[in-house]
Amino acid sequence: MRRGLSAFNMTAVALGLAFLYLPIAILVIYSFNASRLVTVWGGWSTRWYVALWNDEAMLEAAWTSLRIAFLSATAATILGTLAAVVLVRSGRFFGRTAFSGLVYAPLVMPEVITGLSLLLLFVAIEADRGFWTVTMAHTTVTMCFVAVIVQSRLLSFDLSLEEAAMDLGCPPLRAFLTVTLPLIFPAVAAGWMLAFTLSLDDLVLASFTTGPGATTLPIRIYSEVRLGVKPEINAVSTVMIVVVAVGIIAATLISKRGVVAR
Amino acid sequence: MNGSSDKTRPLLRFEGVVKRFGDVPAVDRVSLDIHEGEFFALLGPSGCGKTTLLRMLAGFEQLTEGHILLDGQDIGDVPPHRRPVNMMFQSYALFPHLTVAGNVAFGLKQEALPKSEIESRVSAMLALVRLEGYGGRKPQQLSGGQRQRVALARALVKRPRVLLLDEPLSALDRKLREETRFELVELQQRLGLTFIIVTHDQHEAMIMADRIGVMNRGQLVQVGPPSEVYEQPNSRWVAGFIGDINLIEGRVAATGPQGTEIKSETAGRLHAAQPADVSLGTSVWLAVRPEKVSIAAHAPEGSQTNVFAGKVADIGYLGNSSLYKVKLDNGLVMTAVVANRTRLLERPIGRYDRVWLSFPSDAGVVLTR
Ligand SMILES: Nc1ncnc2c1ncn2[C@@H]1O[C@H](COP(=O)(O)OP(=O)(O)O)[C@@H](O)[C@H]1O
Ligand SMILES: [Mg+2]
C-alpha cells in the first residue's frame, strides 16, 4: 500500500487549513480591493495602502504599538529569564512553590481580570495611564511566557558546563554570561519574539491600562471597526499579519537552530 | 606559591570530611593525605561518594563537617574559581559554542594573560595531547577519544596544583581505554603534577595509581599502594572488590610469630604465615587469591594443612590461564586459577575429576571483618 495521504486525510487537512486561514486569506485579498464597499469585489488595487500611508492617526498608533512591544518584550525577557534561572537552579527555598505558581498564574488568568486588576493598581497608585502603564502591563503578562520557554531549555542544560567554567577560573556571574547565556540564547530569543508579538496584538490589557494620548494599533482598529469596516482596516491588518508571521517564523527558526546546534 | 618547600607536609589533607545530603552521608569521615607528584586513585563502586569527594575539593559542594587543606591552608571558604585545582568532568563538559582552541584558552583568558602567551600555551598544550590541527573544530566534530583529550588539555593548561579526573576513561571503548591509561600516567610523570583520579574499575586503579584509596558507602576503607591493597586487604569487602577471593571461615586456634593457626569446622586445619592481632577463639576468615591456589590430581604428601579435597565443578578457559571451580567435600566452592604455561598437560584435569587444592602458608591473609 502506498504511504501517502488518503482521501480522508487530505480532506481533513484541507478543511482544517481552510477553517483557520480562509478568513485571513479573504481579509488579505480584500485589502487589495479597488472598491470602497467592503463586500463587493471591484478589482485589484493598492489604494488602501496608500490611504493608510496618509492616515496619520493610524500610523501613530502603529508606532506606539511597536515601541510598547519592543520595550515590554525586552523587559519581559530579562525578568522572565531571571525567574526561570531561579526556578530551575535554586532548588528548594522558602516560597518556591508560591513563586512558581505566581509566575504561571497570568498564563491561565483571563485577560479581562488581569487587565482590571492592573487598572485598579494604576488607579490606586495614581499612575498616569498611557504609554508606560501599557508597557508595564504587557511586561507583566509576557514575562510569564518567557519564563516558561527559558525554563524548559534550562532544565535540559548540563549544569556541569557552568561548573567547568567556574572551575577554570570564571566567577559565577561571568560563567553564566559567557557559557550559559550563549547556549540558551535560542530560547531567550524565541521568548523575546513571542513577547513582542503578544504585546503587538493585545487589545484587552491595553484597553484597560491605556489613557489618552497612547492609542495602540489594536485599540485604534477596534474603535474604527465599530463605525463600520473600512478597506483601509484590511490593509493595516494585512501589514500586522505580515509582521507577526515574520516574528513567529523567526522565533521558530531560531529555536530550531538551537536544537540542531546542541 | 611554593608548597613543595616543606617535604613532609602533604600537598593535600582531608580531615574528617563529611558530606550529608539530607540525612544520608554521601561522604563519611574521610581523612587522607595526598603528596606532591602523586597519582592517587579513588576506587569504589558506583554511588560510594567518589564524585562528591572530588566536588568538595573543587569547591562545588560545601563540607558538612571537617576540613580540606591545600598547602596547609583550609580552602573550605574559597570559591571554585579561586581554587588552584582543576577538574576534568566525567561528561567532559566541553563548551559546545567554542572551538577546541577556544575551550583550551577559556581558563587562561580568565587569568587575563597576554594574548600571545595564551596562544603559545594553547598550541603547546594541543601538541601535548596530540591535537595539533584540531584547534578550529567544534567539540561536536570530534571522536570520543579526542574530546577526552580536549577536556584534559583544558584542565592541564591551567597548571593546577592538583588535577582531578572523574572517571576520565569510562566513556571510551576498551582498546582506547587501555592505551589511554598509560598515556595519562606518562603525562603525569612528565609534567610532575599531582593527579587524583576517580574510578570504579579496579584494574584501572591498579595499573595507573601510586596509591589507591578504596571507598565503600562514603567511607575510605583502605589506603595503600596497589600491591598492598591487593595482597593485604583489610576486610572481606576490599578483598572481594579488588579481584576474586576465596574466603574460608574459622576460629583462631593459635597465633604468634610462627603464624596463625585456624580451625575450621568444615575445612579442617588452616595456617597463615602472618600473626593475627586477635584473641584466641575469634571468628576470622582466611582470604586466598585464586592464583595462589594450586590444583593437583593426587593428594599431596606430607602436611595436610591448607589442603582440601573436592570435585571440579566448572572449568573456564581464559587463554593465558584456566579457572577451576572446585566443589569441596565440605560443601564450599573454591576457585583456583592456573597459568597455562605448557601447551599440553600430560593428563589434563577435567570436569568432575577428583582434585586436591592447596596453598602455601604465606598465600592467605587473616581477616577479622
Ligand atoms: N546533589 C545531590 N543531592 C542528593 N544526593 C546526592 C547528590 N549528589 C550525590 N548524591 C548521593 O550521594 C551518593 C554518592 O554519590 P557520588 O559521589 O556521585 O558517587 P560515585 O561518584 O562514587 O558514583 C549517592 O548516593 C548519590 O545519590
Ligand atoms: Mg561518580
Side-chain angles (χ1 to χ4, degrees):
Chain A
M1 205 186 97
R2 261 181 63 224
R3 288 277 293 157
L5 285 175
S6 70
F8 175 78
N9 282 348
M10 207 94 96
T11 320
V13 169
L15 282 176
L17 286 177
F19 185 75
L20 285 174
Y21 291 108
L22 205 56
I24 294 176
I26 288 173
L27 182 143
V28 173
I29 291 169
Y30 269 88
S31 74
F32 294 101
N33 191 357
S35 162
R36 170 163 288 280
L37 296 165
V38 178
T39 46
V40 180
W41 182 250
W44 294 96
S45 155
T46 53
R47 62 184 277 210
W48 303 116
Y49 287 88
V50 177
L52 177 64
W53 187 244
N54 294 320
D55 185 340
E56 294 252 327
M58 193 66 89
L59 289 181
E60 179 66 36
W63 179 232
T64 305
S65 267
L66 283 175
R67 279 185 307 159
I68 290 176
F70 182 84
L71 287 175
S72 69
T74 306
T77 303
I78 294 168
L79 293 175
T81 303
L82 289 177
V85 170
V86 169
L87 284 175
V88 173
R89 292 288 172 79
S90 50
R92 268 174 277 159
F93 60 89
F94 179 75
R96 186 187 189 284
T97 315
F99 184 54
S100 71
L102 288 173
V103 167
Y104 290 133
L107 292 180
V108 290
M109 190 87 78
E111 264 184 288
V112 179
I113 294 177
T114 316
L116 188 61
S117 55
L118 283 164
L119 172 63
L120 293 178
L121 172 75
F122 291 140
V123 169
I125 64 172
E126 290 176 18
D128 274 344
R129 273 170 293 135
F131 183 85
W132 291 107
T133 48
V134 179
T135 307
M136 272 190 268
H138 284 178
T139 306
T140 312
V141 171
T142 54
M143 175 200 123
C144 312
F145 289 87
V146 177
V148 170
I149 293 175
V150 175
Q151 193 179 0
S152 72
R153 175 67 187 92
L154 274 178
L155 281 174
S156 65
F157 183 81
D158 180 7
L159 203 57
S160 61
L161 289 172
E162 210 174 292
E163 287 178 344
M166 287 192 255
D167 188 66
L168 293 166
C170 210
L173 180 64
R174 204 192 315 157
F176 180 80
L177 294 177
T178 54
V179 172
T180 311
L181 200 56
L183 291 171
I184 63 167
F185 183 75
V188 175
W192 189 90
M193 291 286 183
L194 186 63
F196 185 82
T197 47
L198 284 174
S199 163
L200 206 57
D201 76 5
D202 165 72
L203 174 64
V204 179
L205 286 177
S207 313
F208 274 103
T209 53
T210 192
T215 308
T216 66
L217 192 59
I219 294 180
R220 178 92 215 161
I221 294 173
Y222 188 68
S223 60
E224 292 222 350
V225 165
R226 276 189 303 187
L227 307 174
V229 182
K230 282 197 294 179
E232 203 187 311
I233 300 290
N234 288 348
V236 74
S237 305
T238 304
V239 173
M240 280 269 274
I241 288 167
V242 170
V243 171
V244 170
V246 166
I248 288 176
I249 290 170
T252 316
L253 288 182
I254 289 171
S255 53
K256 271 236 183 73
R257 249 222 343 243
V259 171
V260 173
R262 241 186 283 163
Chain B
M1 247 190 278
N2 186 3
S4 54
S5 55
D6 187 350
K7 275 284 168 219
T8 54
R9 190 173 70 192
L11 173 65
L12 193 61
R13 165 165 271 173
F14 294 86
E15 281 178 3
V17 172
V18 176
K19 176 69 191 182
R20 286 194 206 95
F21 293 109
D23 287 340
V24 197
V27 170
D28 197 2
R29 285 164 288 159
V30 168
S31 293
L32 174 68
D33 284 354
I34 291 173
H35 294 272
E36 183 105 47
E38 201 169 19
F39 198 128
F40 191 89
L42 277 171
L43 173 65
S46 182
C48 72
K50 309 177 297 285
T51 299
T52 305
L53 194 60
L54 271 204
R55 288 174 56 82
M56 284 193 281
L57 183 49
F60 298 124
E61 305 282 0
Q62 293 289 311
L63 281 70
T64 313
E65 281 169 34
H67 302 278
I68 298 179
L69 308 178
L70 182 72
D71 287 324
Q73 302 283 313
D74 192 332
I75 55 170
D77 295 328
V78 182
H81 63 277
R82 297 230 188 81
R83 295 194 184 193
V85 298
N86 284 109
M87 177 141 163
M88 193 179 138
F89 288 75
Q90 185 166 7
S91 61
Y92 305 150
L94 298 178
F95 305 130
H97 60 305
L98 300 180
T99 60
V100 167
N103 268 278
V104 178
F106 188 91
L108 298 178
K109 288 195 179 137
Q110 310 307 322
E111 296 174 24
L113 295 175
K115 206 163 183 258
S116 57
E117 184 181 348
I118 294 182
E119 270 168 23
S120 67
R121 271 170 76 174
V122 167
S123 58
M125 190 47 71
L126 286 178
L128 187 70
V129 297
R130 293 182 289 110
L131 282 173
E132 304 108 316
Y134 287 87
R137 296 227 195 154
K138 287 284 179 74
Q140 303 88 298
Q141 298 167 314
L142 301 180
S143 72
Q146 290 167 335
R147 279 183 215 181
Q148 190 258 0
R149 300 210 296 272
V150 177
L152 186 65
R154 188 178 70 174
L156 276 179
V157 80
K158 294 276 288 180
R159 298 180 183 154
R161 300 283 286 133
V162 186
L163 181 69
L164 315 176
L165 304 102
D166 191 357
E167 310 255 1
L169 309 179
S170 62
L172 307 180
D173 56 47
R174 202 178 67 91
K175 187 102 175 66
L176 195 56
R177 194 159 64 220
E178 284 169 3
E179 290 168 11
T180 313
R181 283 173 188 166
F182 291 103
E183 282 180 14
L184 271 181
V185 174
E186 207 234 344
L187 201 63
Q188 184 259 346
Q189 284 171 353
R190 184 137 51 105
L191 300 174
L193 286 172
T194 312
F195 276 29
I196 302 181
I197 186 174
V198 156
T199 176
H200 62 262
D201 181 333
Q202 61 274 14
H203 295 294
E204 202 166 287
M206 296 223 278
I207 288 173
M208 297 202 287
D210 300 324
R211 274 196 312 152
I212 297 178
V214 187
M215 282 186 80
N216 187 25
R217 300 196 188 164
Q219 294 183 329
L220 200 57
V221 290
Q222 187 169 6
V223 181
S227 57
E228 186 182 307
V229 175
Y230 186 78
E231 302 285 353
Q232 295 285 332
N234 62 7
S235 69
R236 285 178 292 155
W237 188 87
V238 172
F241 187 71
I242 316 266
D244 292 327
I245 195 82
N246 292 303
L247 290 168
I248 309 154
E249 196 172 357
R251 285 180 189 281
V252 176
T255 184
Q258 77 284 8
T260 307
E261 196 88 38
I262 298 169
K263 258 198 140 99
S264 164
E265 277 155 34
T266 51
R269 284 157 55 81
L270 302 165
H271 185 259
Q274 49 158 198
D277 189 17
V278 291
S279 52
L280 299 185
T282 313
S283 176
V284 294
W285 291 266
L286 188 64
V288 190
R289 296 283 176 202
E291 69 274 13
K292 301 212 163 77
V293 177
S294 11
I295 186 165
H298 309 282
E301 280 142 38
S303 155
Q304 292 303 301
T305 309
N306 298 346
V307 173
F308 313 91
K311 245 190 192 155
V312 177
D314 220 336
I315 302 177
Y317 179 68
L318 305 174
N320 53 1
S321 59
S322 294
L323 181 149
Y324 298 86
K325 281 210 179 294
V326 177
K327 181 136 173 120
L328 304 182
D329 295 347
N330 60 29
L332 275 177
V333 175
M334 258 177 94
T335 310
V337 171
V338 180
N340 293 334
R341 287 212 200 86
T342 49
R343 258 173 22 120
L344 271 177
L345 284 171
E346 36 191 72
R347 184 191 159 310
I349 293 170
R351 221 168 155 191
Y352 308 126
D353 280 1
R354 185 145 185 87
V355 292
W356 281 262
L357 298 180
S358 61
F359 54 87
S361 287
D362 60 3
V365 182
V366 182
L367 301 176
T368 54
R369 294 188 282 152

